[in-house]
Amino acid sequence: MEEKRVLRVKKEIMAENVRDANAFRLDREKEGCLFVDVMASPGAGKTSLLIALIERLRKSAKLRSELSPEIGVIEADLESDVDSLKMKKAGISSVEINTKGICHVDMDMVKRGFDAFGGEPFNYVFLENIGNLICPAEFDTGAHLRVMLLSVPEGYDKVYKYPPMFAIADALIVTKSDYLPLNEDFEMGKLMEAARVLNPSLNIFVSSARTGEGISEIAAWIEERRQLLLRHTSRQQ
Amino acid sequence: MEEKRVLRVKKEIMAENVRDANAFRLDREKEGCLFVDVMASPGAGKTSLLIALIERLRKSAKLRSELSPEIGVIEADLESDVDSLKMKKAGISSVEINTKGICHVDMDMVKRGFDAFGGEPFNYVFLENIGNLICPAEFDTGAHLRVMLLSVPEGYDKVYKYPPMFAIADALIVTKSDYLPLNEDFEMGKLMEAARVLNPSLNIFVSSARTGEGISEIAAWIEERRQLLLRHTSRQQ
């Protein structure tokens, strides 16, 4: 009986989180801001990929003689502000939220993080989610795009062991491709095949923040998704 | 009010888990079986380390002209039996438990896994916990030893971001040390220092399943811990 009640209240909390997420998503959409949730295991290279990606987004705007895009990063960790400091060092506007032991990020935390920017207008906001390949898949963070990273040293077989994250992601970014020569047992073909069985519309990129492989392709995809968002918003108004 | 009730019932469930864990621990102790919980992020190298470690435990028994130790491995994943098959291929008795989306292993799962061995007597049982650096730290699995792995490609700064696991572990095993030349920013000294602040009695090993570094030291420590368990049991009887 008690366990049933726990389940019911959990469902209510989850439903409230989804309502908050939908409202947040719509607010960002109205502002022309694409919100991207980046999820992965600890140490998969989320921070390094984001720094490389943001540099590329700025560079490609410059090449098109456009204004540099306004970009913010919300960093989430159990503790510490290590990643937020790294972002600031790279010249990127960033705030840190600490979940204090909780294994996922919920809408209360997202809103608190976003409010900490103090009303700065953004074209892109990235959430570097907590390092966890399991729990964040269950929680809507109000993002327009959900991206998951899998690093080469982790091994391709994670697709069999942790299917939910692969099933809900809009894109899978394989990171640390410069480690491929050291990981001959990393079967890229099997990974892609199994990921597409779980999620037929999954976008897959292979990248390395070190060598720059794949970064411009990911940036182009993100830019395209923002353009789609802007067109969608203008049709609504 | 509802959330408070959820918290209360959660506490009751956790307390029941601890009671079950204590009973399980004592039962294994009476049988002379050391039960070791191995925790880490996905892809930190739990399976490879366990295979290397078990080979070493067998070899060192042989060198002492003792009977080969009886060893079982309980593999835990959200889905699949990839790791259990790897163990069996390496000639190791193994069962697989699938948590079906749940982010940690609880005593019901441990007992189900252990029962699946069908009463085989063991000197050592290892639980390869689910790949998650956060949630398993909170759940007692009835183990005598809790060991955490951190792989070099993950980065040393995980000690700042995910402190609970470091705080509760009996040993930290740094894995994939053969990647150190590729990761010049991996600061082993800072990792050890920060880990010992969180946990002054932490045993720290540096290892590579590929090169064999550290494996015999870990095996010797595990053997010693079993001897301590046997002495403790004989004193009790």
Short mmCIF file of all heavy atoms in Angstrom, two decimals, chain A residues 2 5-6 8-9 41-43 77-80 82-83 86 103 131 134-135 153-154 157-158 160-164 176 179 182-183 210, chain B residues 2 5-6 8-9 41-43 77-80 83 86 103 131 134-135 153-154 157-158 160-164 176 179 182-183 210:
data_model
loop_
_atom_site.label_atom_id
_atom_site.label_comp_id
_atom_site.label_asym_id
_atom_site.label_seq_id
_atom_site.Cartn_x
_atom_site.Cartn_y
_atom_site.Cartn_z
N GLU A 2 1.83 1.27 0.94
CA GLU A 2 2.72 2.43 1.05
C GLU A 2 3.52 2.60 -0.23
O GLU A 2 3.69 3.69 -0.73
CB GLU A 2 3.67 2.25 2.26
CG GLU A 2 3.00 2.39 3.61
CD GLU A 2 2.62 3.82 3.96
OE1 GLU A 2 2.37 4.62 3.06
OE2 GLU A 2 2.58 4.13 5.16
N ARG A 5 1.56 4.16 -2.91
CA ARG A 5 1.39 5.59 -2.68
C ARG A 5 2.66 6.35 -3.12
O ARG A 5 2.58 7.40 -3.74
CB ARG A 5 1.11 5.86 -1.20
CG ARG A 5 0.74 7.28 -0.90
CD ARG A 5 0.48 7.43 0.59
NE ARG A 5 -0.87 7.07 0.93
CZ ARG A 5 -1.88 7.95 0.98
NH1 ARG A 5 -1.67 9.21 0.65
NH2 ARG A 5 -3.07 7.59 1.33
N VAL A 6 3.82 5.76 -2.82
CA VAL A 6 5.08 6.36 -3.25
C VAL A 6 5.10 6.48 -4.77
O VAL A 6 5.43 7.52 -5.32
CB VAL A 6 6.30 5.50 -2.78
CG1 VAL A 6 7.58 5.98 -3.43
CG2 VAL A 6 6.45 5.58 -1.27
N ARG A 8 2.54 6.66 -6.79
CA ARG A 8 1.56 7.65 -7.24
C ARG A 8 2.13 9.06 -7.08
O ARG A 8 2.07 9.88 -8.00
CB ARG A 8 0.25 7.51 -6.44
CG ARG A 8 -0.87 8.38 -6.96
CD ARG A 8 -2.20 8.06 -6.29
NE ARG A 8 -2.18 8.26 -4.85
CZ ARG A 8 -2.17 9.45 -4.24
NH1 ARG A 8 -2.16 10.56 -4.96
NH2 ARG A 8 -2.16 9.53 -2.92
N VAL A 9 2.73 9.33 -5.91
CA VAL A 9 3.28 10.67 -5.67
C VAL A 9 4.45 10.93 -6.62
O VAL A 9 4.61 12.02 -7.14
CB VAL A 9 3.68 10.85 -4.19
CG1 VAL A 9 4.25 12.25 -3.96
CG2 VAL A 9 2.49 10.63 -3.27
N SER A 41 28.07 9.59 -19.54
CA SER A 41 28.77 9.08 -18.36
C SER A 41 29.75 10.13 -17.85
O SER A 41 30.12 11.04 -18.60
CB SER A 41 29.60 7.85 -18.74
OG SER A 41 28.80 6.82 -19.21
N PRO A 42 30.22 10.00 -16.61
CA PRO A 42 31.31 10.87 -16.16
C PRO A 42 32.53 10.66 -17.07
O PRO A 42 32.84 9.53 -17.44
CB PRO A 42 31.62 10.37 -14.75
CG PRO A 42 30.39 9.65 -14.30
CD PRO A 42 29.81 9.05 -15.54
N GLY A 43 33.17 11.74 -17.44
CA GLY A 43 34.43 11.61 -18.19
C GLY A 43 34.30 11.27 -19.65
O GLY A 43 35.28 10.91 -20.29
N ASP A 77 26.66 19.38 -11.56
CA ASP A 77 27.47 18.35 -10.91
C ASP A 77 26.91 18.10 -9.53
O ASP A 77 26.18 18.94 -9.00
CB ASP A 77 28.94 18.80 -10.79
CG ASP A 77 29.71 18.59 -12.08
OD1 ASP A 77 29.78 17.44 -12.53
OD2 ASP A 77 30.24 19.57 -12.64
N LEU A 78 27.25 16.97 -8.92
CA LEU A 78 26.88 16.74 -7.52
C LEU A 78 27.45 17.86 -6.66
O LEU A 78 26.78 18.43 -5.82
CB LEU A 78 27.42 15.40 -7.00
CG LEU A 78 26.94 14.09 -7.61
CD1 LEU A 78 27.37 12.93 -6.72
CD2 LEU A 78 25.44 14.05 -7.78
N GLU A 79 28.74 18.14 -6.90
CA GLU A 79 29.47 19.15 -6.12
C GLU A 79 30.47 19.84 -7.06
O GLU A 79 30.69 19.39 -8.16
CB GLU A 79 30.27 18.48 -4.99
CG GLU A 79 29.45 17.73 -3.96
CD GLU A 79 28.72 18.65 -2.99
OE1 GLU A 79 29.00 19.87 -2.98
OE2 GLU A 79 27.86 18.15 -2.24
N SER A 80 31.08 20.92 -6.58
CA SER A 80 32.20 21.62 -7.23
C SER A 80 31.76 22.58 -8.34
O SER A 80 30.64 22.52 -8.82
CB SER A 80 33.24 20.65 -7.81
OG SER A 80 32.97 20.37 -9.17
N VAL A 82 34.16 23.08 -10.92
CA VAL A 82 35.28 22.81 -11.81
C VAL A 82 34.94 23.15 -13.27
O VAL A 82 35.69 23.87 -13.95
CB VAL A 82 35.68 21.31 -11.71
CG1 VAL A 82 36.73 20.93 -12.74
CG2 VAL A 82 36.19 20.98 -10.31
N ASP A 83 33.79 22.65 -13.75
CA ASP A 83 33.45 22.81 -15.16
C ASP A 83 33.04 24.23 -15.50
O ASP A 83 33.37 24.73 -16.59
CB ASP A 83 32.34 21.84 -15.56
CG ASP A 83 32.87 20.40 -15.66
OD1 ASP A 83 34.09 20.24 -15.76
OD2 ASP A 83 32.04 19.48 -15.65
N LYS A 86 36.10 26.18 -15.99
CA LYS A 86 36.71 25.85 -17.29
C LYS A 86 36.03 26.64 -18.41
O LYS A 86 36.69 27.16 -19.30
CB LYS A 86 36.53 24.35 -17.60
CG LYS A 86 37.76 23.52 -17.27
CD LYS A 86 37.58 22.13 -17.90
CE LYS A 86 38.22 21.07 -17.02
NZ LYS A 86 37.82 19.71 -17.37
N CYS A 103 20.94 12.35 -8.42
CA CYS A 103 21.54 11.72 -9.60
C CYS A 103 21.04 12.27 -10.92
O CYS A 103 21.37 11.75 -11.97
CB CYS A 103 21.30 10.22 -9.55
SG CYS A 103 19.54 9.82 -9.52
N GLY A 131 27.06 13.70 -14.85
CA GLY A 131 27.64 12.50 -15.47
C GLY A 131 26.94 11.24 -15.04
O GLY A 131 27.21 10.72 -13.96
N ILE A 134 22.24 6.90 -16.97
CA ILE A 134 20.97 6.22 -16.66
C ILE A 134 19.87 7.22 -16.30
O ILE A 134 18.96 7.49 -17.08
CB ILE A 134 21.16 5.19 -15.53
CG1 ILE A 134 22.30 4.21 -15.90
CG2 ILE A 134 19.87 4.43 -15.28
CD1 ILE A 134 22.72 3.29 -14.77
N CYS A 135 19.95 7.80 -15.11
CA CYS A 135 18.84 8.58 -14.55
C CYS A 135 18.41 9.78 -15.40
O CYS A 135 17.21 10.03 -15.52
CB CYS A 135 19.16 9.00 -13.13
SG CYS A 135 19.84 7.66 -12.11
N PRO A 153 36.77 5.21 -25.26
CA PRO A 153 37.30 4.34 -24.19
C PRO A 153 36.22 3.61 -23.38
O PRO A 153 36.49 2.59 -22.76
CB PRO A 153 38.08 5.30 -23.28
CG PRO A 153 38.39 6.47 -24.14
CD PRO A 153 37.25 6.59 -25.11
N GLU A 154 34.98 4.11 -23.38
CA GLU A 154 33.90 3.44 -22.65
C GLU A 154 33.52 2.10 -23.29
O GLU A 154 33.02 1.21 -22.60
CB GLU A 154 32.64 4.31 -22.60
CG GLU A 154 32.69 5.44 -21.63
CD GLU A 154 31.45 6.30 -21.75
OE1 GLU A 154 30.40 5.90 -21.23
OE2 GLU A 154 31.53 7.38 -22.38
N ASP A 157 29.80 -1.48 -26.44
CA ASP A 157 28.75 -2.37 -25.92
C ASP A 157 27.80 -1.67 -24.94
O ASP A 157 26.82 -2.28 -24.50
CB ASP A 157 29.35 -3.63 -25.29
CG ASP A 157 30.27 -3.33 -24.11
OD1 ASP A 157 30.54 -2.14 -23.84
OD2 ASP A 157 30.72 -4.29 -23.46
N LYS A 158 28.06 -0.41 -24.61
CA LYS A 158 27.15 0.31 -23.72
C LYS A 158 25.74 0.44 -24.31
O LYS A 158 24.77 0.57 -23.58
CB LYS A 158 27.70 1.71 -23.38
CG LYS A 158 29.06 1.67 -22.70
CD LYS A 158 29.07 0.80 -21.48
CE LYS A 158 30.47 0.45 -20.99
NZ LYS A 158 31.18 -0.59 -21.77
N TYR A 160 24.05 -1.87 -25.59
CA TYR A 160 23.26 -3.03 -25.17
C TYR A 160 22.89 -2.93 -23.69
O TYR A 160 21.85 -3.42 -23.27
CB TYR A 160 24.04 -4.33 -25.39
CG TYR A 160 24.57 -4.51 -26.79
CD1 TYR A 160 25.93 -4.61 -27.04
CD2 TYR A 160 23.70 -4.56 -27.88
CE1 TYR A 160 26.42 -4.78 -28.34
CE2 TYR A 160 24.17 -4.72 -29.17
CZ TYR A 160 25.54 -4.82 -29.40
OH TYR A 160 26.01 -4.98 -30.67
N LYS A 161 23.78 -2.32 -22.92
CA LYS A 161 23.60 -2.34 -21.46
C LYS A 161 22.77 -1.19 -20.92
O LYS A 161 22.18 -1.30 -19.86
CB LYS A 161 24.98 -2.30 -20.79
CG LYS A 161 25.87 -3.46 -21.14
CD LYS A 161 27.18 -3.25 -20.43
CE LYS A 161 28.21 -4.29 -20.73
NZ LYS A 161 29.46 -3.95 -20.03
N TYR A 162 22.77 -0.04 -21.63
CA TYR A 162 22.06 1.16 -21.16
C TYR A 162 21.14 1.70 -22.25
O TYR A 162 21.27 2.85 -22.67
CB TYR A 162 23.07 2.24 -20.73
CG TYR A 162 24.10 1.72 -19.76
CD1 TYR A 162 25.34 1.26 -20.19
CD2 TYR A 162 23.81 1.66 -18.40
CE1 TYR A 162 26.26 0.75 -19.29
CE2 TYR A 162 24.72 1.15 -17.50
CZ TYR A 162 25.95 0.70 -17.95
OH TYR A 162 26.86 0.18 -17.07
N PRO A 163 20.20 0.86 -22.73
CA PRO A 163 19.40 1.28 -23.88
C PRO A 163 18.53 2.53 -23.69
O PRO A 163 18.34 3.27 -24.68
CB PRO A 163 18.55 0.04 -24.21
CG PRO A 163 18.62 -0.84 -23.01
CD PRO A 163 19.94 -0.55 -22.35
N PRO A 164 17.98 2.85 -22.50
CA PRO A 164 17.03 3.98 -22.45
C PRO A 164 17.61 5.30 -22.98
O PRO A 164 16.94 6.00 -23.73
CB PRO A 164 16.67 4.08 -20.96
CG PRO A 164 16.89 2.71 -20.41
CD PRO A 164 18.05 2.17 -21.16
N LYS A 176 36.00 11.36 -28.41
CA LYS A 176 37.36 10.82 -28.26
C LYS A 176 37.69 9.81 -29.37
O LYS A 176 38.26 8.74 -29.10
CB LYS A 176 37.55 10.17 -26.87
CG LYS A 176 37.18 11.11 -25.71
CD LYS A 176 37.67 10.58 -24.37
CE LYS A 176 37.11 11.40 -23.21
NZ LYS A 176 37.58 11.00 -21.90
N TYR A 179 41.02 8.07 -29.86
CA TYR A 179 41.40 6.86 -29.14
C TYR A 179 41.10 5.58 -29.95
O TYR A 179 41.39 4.48 -29.49
CB TYR A 179 40.65 6.76 -27.81
CG TYR A 179 41.17 7.63 -26.69
CD1 TYR A 179 40.82 8.97 -26.60
CD2 TYR A 179 42.00 7.10 -25.69
CE1 TYR A 179 41.28 9.77 -25.57
CE2 TYR A 179 42.46 7.89 -24.65
CZ TYR A 179 42.10 9.23 -24.60
OH TYR A 179 42.55 10.00 -23.56
N LEU A 182 43.69 2.85 -30.45
CA LEU A 182 44.01 2.11 -29.22
C LEU A 182 42.91 1.14 -28.81
O LEU A 182 43.07 0.37 -27.88
CB LEU A 182 44.21 3.10 -28.07
CG LEU A 182 45.58 3.73 -27.94
CD1 LEU A 182 45.50 4.99 -27.13
CD2 LEU A 182 46.54 2.73 -27.30
N ASN A 183 41.75 1.27 -29.44
CA ASN A 183 40.59 0.47 -29.06
C ASN A 183 40.08 -0.29 -30.27
O ASN A 183 39.03 0.02 -30.83
CB ASN A 183 39.47 1.37 -28.49
CG ASN A 183 39.83 1.94 -27.13
OD1 ASN A 183 39.45 1.39 -26.10
ND2 ASN A 183 40.57 3.02 -27.12
N ARG A 210 39.91 16.88 -29.47
CA ARG A 210 41.36 17.06 -29.64
C ARG A 210 41.76 17.32 -31.08
O ARG A 210 42.50 18.25 -31.37
CB ARG A 210 42.08 15.78 -29.18
CG ARG A 210 42.84 15.96 -27.89
CD ARG A 210 43.66 14.72 -27.57
NE ARG A 210 43.67 14.50 -26.14
CZ ARG A 210 44.02 13.38 -25.54
NH1 ARG A 210 44.35 12.32 -26.26
NH2 ARG A 210 44.01 13.29 -24.23
N GLU B 2 2.62 15.13 1.07
CA GLU B 2 2.81 13.92 0.27
C GLU B 2 4.29 13.62 0.10
O GLU B 2 4.73 12.49 0.21
CB GLU B 2 2.15 14.10 -1.12
CG GLU B 2 0.64 14.09 -1.10
CD GLU B 2 0.05 12.70 -0.88
OE1 GLU B 2 0.71 11.86 -0.23
OE2 GLU B 2 -1.06 12.45 -1.36
N ARG B 5 5.73 12.09 3.11
CA ARG B 5 5.35 10.69 3.23
C ARG B 5 6.23 9.83 2.32
O ARG B 5 6.68 8.75 2.69
CB ARG B 5 3.87 10.52 2.84
CG ARG B 5 3.35 9.13 3.09
CD ARG B 5 1.88 9.05 2.67
NE ARG B 5 1.00 9.53 3.71
CZ ARG B 5 0.46 8.71 4.64
NH1 ARG B 5 0.74 7.42 4.63
NH2 ARG B 5 -0.34 9.18 5.54
N VAL B 6 6.51 10.35 1.11
CA VAL B 6 7.41 9.64 0.18
C VAL B 6 8.77 9.43 0.84
O VAL B 6 9.33 8.34 0.82
CB VAL B 6 7.56 10.41 -1.15
CG1 VAL B 6 8.68 9.81 -2.00
CG2 VAL B 6 6.26 10.39 -1.94
N ARG B 8 9.46 9.36 4.02
CA ARG B 8 9.37 8.42 5.14
C ARG B 8 9.37 6.98 4.62
O ARG B 8 10.11 6.12 5.11
CB ARG B 8 8.10 8.69 5.96
CG ARG B 8 8.01 7.86 7.24
CD ARG B 8 6.85 8.30 8.13
NE ARG B 8 5.55 8.19 7.48
CZ ARG B 8 4.90 7.05 7.25
NH1 ARG B 8 5.46 5.89 7.59
NH2 ARG B 8 3.72 7.03 6.68
N VAL B 9 8.56 6.72 3.58
CA VAL B 9 8.48 5.35 3.05
C VAL B 9 9.82 4.96 2.42
O VAL B 9 10.29 3.84 2.55
CB VAL B 9 7.32 5.22 2.04
CG1 VAL B 9 7.27 3.81 1.48
CG2 VAL B 9 6.00 5.56 2.71
N SER B 41 31.80 4.11 -13.17
CA SER B 41 31.08 4.62 -14.33
C SER B 41 30.98 3.52 -15.39
O SER B 41 31.76 2.58 -15.37
CB SER B 41 31.86 5.78 -14.98
OG SER B 41 32.02 6.83 -14.10
N PRO B 42 30.08 3.69 -16.37
CA PRO B 42 30.09 2.76 -17.51
C PRO B 42 31.45 2.85 -18.22
O PRO B 42 32.00 3.94 -18.39
CB PRO B 42 29.00 3.31 -18.43
CG PRO B 42 28.10 4.13 -17.56
CD PRO B 42 29.01 4.72 -16.52
N GLY B 43 31.99 1.71 -18.59
CA GLY B 43 33.21 1.72 -19.40
C GLY B 43 34.50 2.01 -18.64
O GLY B 43 35.52 2.30 -19.26
N ASP B 77 23.36 -5.23 -14.99
CA ASP B 77 23.19 -4.22 -16.04
C ASP B 77 21.71 -3.88 -16.15
O ASP B 77 20.87 -4.64 -15.67
CB ASP B 77 23.69 -4.77 -17.39
CG ASP B 77 25.20 -4.64 -17.53
OD1 ASP B 77 25.70 -3.51 -17.46
OD2 ASP B 77 25.88 -5.68 -17.71
N LEU B 78 21.40 -2.74 -16.78
CA LEU B 78 20.00 -2.43 -17.05
C LEU B 78 19.40 -3.54 -17.90
O LEU B 78 18.31 -4.02 -17.64
CB LEU B 78 19.86 -1.10 -17.82
CG LEU B 78 20.29 0.21 -17.17
CD1 LEU B 78 19.77 1.37 -17.99
CD2 LEU B 78 19.78 0.33 -15.75
N GLU B 79 20.15 -3.92 -18.94
CA GLU B 79 19.71 -4.95 -19.89
C GLU B 79 20.92 -5.75 -20.35
O GLU B 79 22.05 -5.34 -20.07
CB GLU B 79 19.08 -4.28 -21.15
CG GLU B 79 17.85 -3.44 -20.90
CD GLU B 79 16.60 -4.25 -20.65
OE1 GLU B 79 16.62 -5.48 -20.85
OE2 GLU B 79 15.59 -3.67 -20.21
N SER B 80 20.70 -6.82 -21.08
CA SER B 80 21.73 -7.64 -21.77
C SER B 80 22.46 -8.61 -20.85
O SER B 80 22.40 -8.49 -19.62
CB SER B 80 22.77 -6.77 -22.48
OG SER B 80 23.90 -6.53 -21.65
N ASP B 83 28.20 -9.05 -20.29
CA ASP B 83 29.31 -9.24 -19.35
C ASP B 83 29.35 -10.64 -18.78
O ASP B 83 30.43 -11.21 -18.57
CB ASP B 83 29.24 -8.20 -18.23
CG ASP B 83 29.66 -6.83 -18.71
OD1 ASP B 83 30.29 -6.75 -19.79
OD2 ASP B 83 29.37 -5.84 -18.03
N LYS B 86 30.98 -12.81 -21.23
CA LYS B 86 32.45 -12.59 -21.22
C LYS B 86 33.10 -13.38 -20.09
O LYS B 86 34.15 -13.98 -20.26
CB LYS B 86 32.75 -11.10 -21.00
CG LYS B 86 33.02 -10.32 -22.26
CD LYS B 86 33.60 -8.94 -21.89
CE LYS B 86 33.19 -7.90 -22.89
NZ LYS B 86 33.38 -6.52 -22.42
N CYS B 103 18.54 2.31 -11.54
CA CYS B 103 19.91 2.84 -11.58
C CYS B 103 20.83 2.28 -10.51
O CYS B 103 21.95 2.73 -10.37
CB CYS B 103 19.85 4.35 -11.46
SG CYS B 103 19.09 4.89 -9.91
N GLY B 131 26.86 0.30 -14.14
CA GLY B 131 27.77 1.41 -14.45
C GLY B 131 27.16 2.75 -14.06
O GLY B 131 26.34 3.30 -14.80
N ILE B 134 27.13 7.32 -9.17
CA ILE B 134 26.35 8.08 -8.19
C ILE B 134 25.48 7.16 -7.31
O ILE B 134 25.79 6.94 -6.14
CB ILE B 134 25.49 9.15 -8.90
CG1 ILE B 134 26.38 10.02 -9.80
CG2 ILE B 134 24.74 10.00 -7.89
CD1 ILE B 134 25.62 10.95 -10.72
N CYS B 135 24.41 6.63 -7.90
CA CYS B 135 23.38 5.96 -7.11
C CYS B 135 23.87 4.75 -6.31
O CYS B 135 23.45 4.58 -5.15
CB CYS B 135 22.21 5.57 -8.00
SG CYS B 135 21.68 6.90 -9.12
N PRO B 153 41.01 7.64 -18.66
CA PRO B 153 40.34 8.52 -19.63
C PRO B 153 39.19 9.35 -19.05
O PRO B 153 38.83 10.38 -19.61
CB PRO B 153 39.81 7.55 -20.70
CG PRO B 153 40.64 6.33 -20.56
CD PRO B 153 41.00 6.24 -19.11
N GLU B 154 38.62 8.93 -17.92
CA GLU B 154 37.55 9.73 -17.30
C GLU B 154 38.05 11.05 -16.73
O GLU B 154 37.28 12.00 -16.63
CB GLU B 154 36.90 8.93 -16.15
CG GLU B 154 35.96 7.86 -16.58
CD GLU B 154 35.47 7.07 -15.38
OE1 GLU B 154 34.57 7.55 -14.67
OE2 GLU B 154 36.00 5.96 -15.13
N ASP B 157 39.49 14.74 -12.16
CA ASP B 157 38.63 15.71 -11.48
C ASP B 157 37.29 15.13 -11.02
O ASP B 157 36.51 15.81 -10.35
CB ASP B 157 38.41 16.95 -12.36
CG ASP B 157 37.72 16.64 -13.68
OD1 ASP B 157 37.50 15.44 -13.98
OD2 ASP B 157 37.39 17.59 -14.41
N LYS B 158 37.02 13.86 -11.36
CA LYS B 158 35.77 13.23 -10.91
C LYS B 158 35.70 13.18 -9.37
O LYS B 158 34.61 13.15 -8.81
CB LYS B 158 35.62 11.83 -11.50
CG LYS B 158 35.61 11.80 -13.03
CD LYS B 158 34.56 12.71 -13.61
CE LYS B 158 34.77 13.01 -15.09
NZ LYS B 158 35.85 13.95 -15.41
N TYR B 160 36.26 15.54 -7.39
CA TYR B 160 35.61 16.77 -6.92
C TYR B 160 34.11 16.77 -7.22
O TYR B 160 33.32 17.35 -6.49
CB TYR B 160 36.23 18.00 -7.59
CG TYR B 160 37.74 18.09 -7.45
CD1 TYR B 160 38.57 18.09 -8.57
CD2 TYR B 160 38.34 18.16 -6.20
CE1 TYR B 160 39.95 18.17 -8.45
CE2 TYR B 160 39.70 18.22 -6.06
CZ TYR B 160 40.52 18.23 -7.19
OH TYR B 160 41.87 18.30 -7.06
N LYS B 161 33.76 16.13 -8.35
CA LYS B 161 32.37 16.22 -8.82
C LYS B 161 31.45 15.16 -8.25
O LYS B 161 30.25 15.36 -8.18
CB LYS B 161 32.36 16.11 -10.35
CG LYS B 161 33.14 17.20 -11.06
CD LYS B 161 33.10 16.90 -12.53
CE LYS B 161 33.85 17.89 -13.36
NZ LYS B 161 33.75 17.50 -14.78
N TYR B 162 32.02 13.98 -7.92
CA TYR B 162 31.21 12.86 -7.43
C TYR B 162 31.76 12.34 -6.10
O TYR B 162 32.12 11.17 -5.98
CB TYR B 162 31.19 11.73 -8.48
CG TYR B 162 30.79 12.21 -9.85
CD1 TYR B 162 31.74 12.58 -10.80
CD2 TYR B 162 29.45 12.37 -10.20
CE1 TYR B 162 31.38 13.06 -12.05
CE2 TYR B 162 29.07 12.84 -11.44
CZ TYR B 162 30.04 13.19 -12.36
OH TYR B 162 29.68 13.67 -13.58
N PRO B 163 31.83 13.20 -5.09
CA PRO B 163 32.49 12.79 -3.83
C PRO B 163 31.87 11.61 -3.08
O PRO B 163 32.61 10.85 -2.46
CB PRO B 163 32.48 14.07 -2.99
CG PRO B 163 31.50 14.99 -3.61
CD PRO B 163 31.43 14.63 -5.06
N PRO B 164 30.52 11.38 -3.12
CA PRO B 164 30.00 10.33 -2.23
C PRO B 164 30.63 8.95 -2.46
O PRO B 164 30.96 8.25 -1.49
CB PRO B 164 28.49 10.30 -2.56
CG PRO B 164 28.19 11.68 -3.04
CD PRO B 164 29.42 12.11 -3.79
N LYS B 176 43.10 1.43 -16.33
CA LYS B 176 43.59 1.89 -17.65
C LYS B 176 44.80 2.82 -17.51
O LYS B 176 44.88 3.85 -18.18
CB LYS B 176 42.47 2.57 -18.46
CG LYS B 176 41.20 1.72 -18.61
CD LYS B 176 40.24 2.27 -19.66
CE LYS B 176 38.89 1.55 -19.60
NZ LYS B 176 37.94 1.95 -20.65
N TYR B 179 46.81 4.31 -20.36
CA TYR B 179 46.39 5.55 -21.06
C TYR B 179 47.08 6.79 -20.48
O TYR B 179 46.86 7.89 -20.99
CB TYR B 179 44.88 5.74 -20.96
CG TYR B 179 44.04 4.89 -21.88
CD1 TYR B 179 43.71 3.58 -21.56
CD2 TYR B 179 43.53 5.42 -23.08
CE1 TYR B 179 42.93 2.80 -22.39
CE2 TYR B 179 42.73 4.65 -23.91
CZ TYR B 179 42.44 3.33 -23.57
OH TYR B 179 41.66 2.58 -24.39
N LEU B 182 48.84 9.31 -22.72
CA LEU B 182 47.93 10.07 -23.58
C LEU B 182 47.15 11.14 -22.81
O LEU B 182 46.44 11.94 -23.40
CB LEU B 182 46.92 9.14 -24.23
CG LEU B 182 47.36 8.40 -25.48
CD1 LEU B 182 46.50 7.19 -25.69
CD2 LEU B 182 47.25 9.34 -26.68
N ASN B 183 47.21 11.06 -21.48
CA ASN B 183 46.41 11.96 -20.65
C ASN B 183 47.34 12.70 -19.69
O ASN B 183 47.35 12.44 -18.49
CB ASN B 183 45.36 11.17 -19.86
CG ASN B 183 44.26 10.62 -20.74
OD1 ASN B 183 43.21 11.25 -20.89
ND2 ASN B 183 44.50 9.48 -21.35
N ARG B 210 45.38 -4.37 -19.16
CA ARG B 210 46.15 -4.66 -20.39
C ARG B 210 47.60 -5.02 -20.10
O ARG B 210 48.11 -6.00 -20.60
CB ARG B 210 46.14 -3.42 -21.29
CG ARG B 210 45.30 -3.61 -22.52
CD ARG B 210 45.46 -2.40 -23.44
NE ARG B 210 44.18 -2.13 -24.10
CZ ARG B 210 43.88 -0.99 -24.70
NH1 ARG B 210 44.75 0.00 -24.70
NH2 ARG B 210 42.72 -0.85 -25.27
#
